[in-house]
Every structure is written in C-alpha cells, then in structure tokens.
Amino acid sequence: MKQLYLIGFMGSGKSTVGQYTSEKLNVEYVDLDMEIERIQRKKIVDIFREEGEETFRTYETETLKAVWDKVLVATGGGVVEREENIRYMKEKGKLIYLKTSFTVIQKRLRRDHSRPLWKDTNQNEALFNKRTTLYEQVADYVIICDDKSLDEIVEEIVNIYTYNGFLSCEE
Ligand code: S3P
C-alpha cells in the first residue's frame, strides 16, 4: 500500500482538497492537524501556547507515523520542517504539493486566528518563501492551484493516484 501526502502552505486547501478527493476515490483519509487535536485533546493554538512549537512538531511527527494505514493524508504546512518527516513520507508514498500564491493565501487567511504561525506581519511572507523552496525540493508532483476549481484539482490527484497504480498496488 502506498500513501499520498498533500503538502503546501497554510491556506493552500490541503484539508478541503483531501476531503473531496478521498470521497471521489473512496479511500481512507486523514487530516493530520485534526488527528493531532483528537489525540492530544487540544486545539493546535493551545498546544502552541501551552507547550510550544517544538512539542507540537514532536506530536506532528508521531501522528504522521501513526496514520500509516491511511491512503490519503493532508499534512500541516510545517511538516517539511523536519527532515525525518520528509524521509518518512518519501519512503511511504508520494508527495503532492498544492502550490498556491502568497496573494491568494493572504486573502484566504485574512481573518484567520486558528494558525499560530500566521501572524500579522511581514514574517508571513518570509515563512512562505522559505517553505516554498522546501515544498518544491521534496514534491513528487506539483499542482498549480491558483486558477483552478476544486474539481479540477481533485481530478489531477485522481489521475496521479491512478497513474501510480495505487488502486491495485500492494507493496
Ligand atoms: C503550521 C500549519 C498548520 C498547523 C500548525 C502549524 C505550519 O496547518 O499544522 O498551525 O507550521 O505551517 P495548515 O497548513 O493546515 O494550516
């Protein structure tokens, strides 16, 4: 069995795209952030505030490994911060980068307060640029999302899934 991991910056649509794609493909799906919140019984903002980012990253790595049985995984934007996570995902399956411009992300997250690393300063753009380099380095597939509908994005992932023989593959 191979996994498909959706990667990309906060607000790039990983969770929404993941949910729709899993319904279309009828495969087991998990949203990593939601799984962390479920296991820790805490909202991500509270984990960051009370335990700090490093502890969150440790939960993230543990949870990534705990969801080995899911076919499709929507990751958090910072999953690429740890080499260990990249190595693990690369070993297990394919990484699909939902590439979305900073302008679109800024619009989407204008009123967002649920993401501790999305701040009201130009730090956002610096983080975006740093992460973009990482996503591009590690991705097996890049989907340019800006001018595409949800259906179009989902269709591209379905094609990747089918092309890779995930439907019949038992590795
Ligand atoms: C983070 C992204 C968030 C969440 C946490 C940290 C990041 O996930 O994991 O707030 O470091 O970019 P989304 O990408 O789903 O917003």
Side-chain angles (χ1 to χ4, degrees):
M1 169 87 79
K2 279 186 185 174
Q3 272 72 45
L4 274 186
Y5 297 96
L6 302 181
I7 63 167
F9 201 71
M10 298 174 253
S12 59
K14 303 177 295 281
S15 304
T16 311
V17 168
Q19 182 65 49
Y20 276 88
T21 310
S22 69
E23 284 163 20
K24 190 112 190 184
L25 288 171
N26 196 22
V27 295
E28 292 263 349
Y29 163 71
V30 72
D31 179 308
L32 206 58
D33 284 341
M34 282 173 68
E35 191 64 2
I36 295 169
E37 291 186 335
R38 192 185 67 77
I39 294 171
Q40 300 305 324
R41 297 175 186 202
K42 242 186 211 184
K43 290 276 165 209
I44 285 172
V45 259
D46 295 326
I47 300 176
F48 267 75
R49 195 178 51 234
E50 293 164 20
E51 304 179 60
E53 182 172 349
E54 266 315 293
T55 304
F56 171 78
R57 295 291 168 214
T58 300
Y59 294 153
E60 189 172 45
T61 301
E62 286 169 2
T63 311
L64 181 67
K65 292 179 182 174
V67 299
W68 59 271
D69 57 338
K70 304 292 185 232
V71 174
L72 184 63
V73 182
T75 63
V79 79
V80 292
E81 291 282 345
R82 281 197 178 179
E83 277 264 350
E84 182 185 354
N85 298 344
I86 297 171
R87 241 180 294 121
Y88 181 81
M89 293 187 290
K90 285 277 190 192
E91 203 182 291
K92 286 280 174 193
K94 300 285 179 194
L95 279 66
I96 304 176
Y97 169 30
L98 302 188
K99 189 174 166 75
T100 309
S101 71
F102 188 67
T103 314
V104 168
I105 283 171
Q106 248 183 333
K107 270 190 211 143
R108 285 191 193 154
L109 298 186
R110 214 170 22 215
R111 289 188 194 88
D112 185 276
H113 299 291
S114 67
R115 294 173 169 91
L117 294 183
W118 180 254
K119 304 189 177 106
D120 260 350
T121 63
N122 56 8
Q123 285 175 45
N124 289 338
E125 193 157 12
L127 183 65
F128 178 87
N129 291 334
K130 176 186 153 213
R131 290 274 181 81
T132 298
T133 310
L134 282 171
Y135 299 136
E136 278 172 355
Q137 270 169 7
V138 303
D140 295 294
Y141 298 94
V142 181
I143 300 180
I144 315 265
C145 295
D146 270 10
D147 297 318
K148 289 192 183 126
S149 68
L150 182 57
D151 280 345
E152 286 170 323
I153 297 168
V154 170
E155 197 186 317
E156 285 196 36
I157 302 175
V158 170
N159 288 341
I160 293 168
Y161 181 91
T162 310
Y163 174 79
N164 276 276
F166 282 51
L167 286 166
S168 57
C169 150
E170 285 296 332
E171 283 178 14

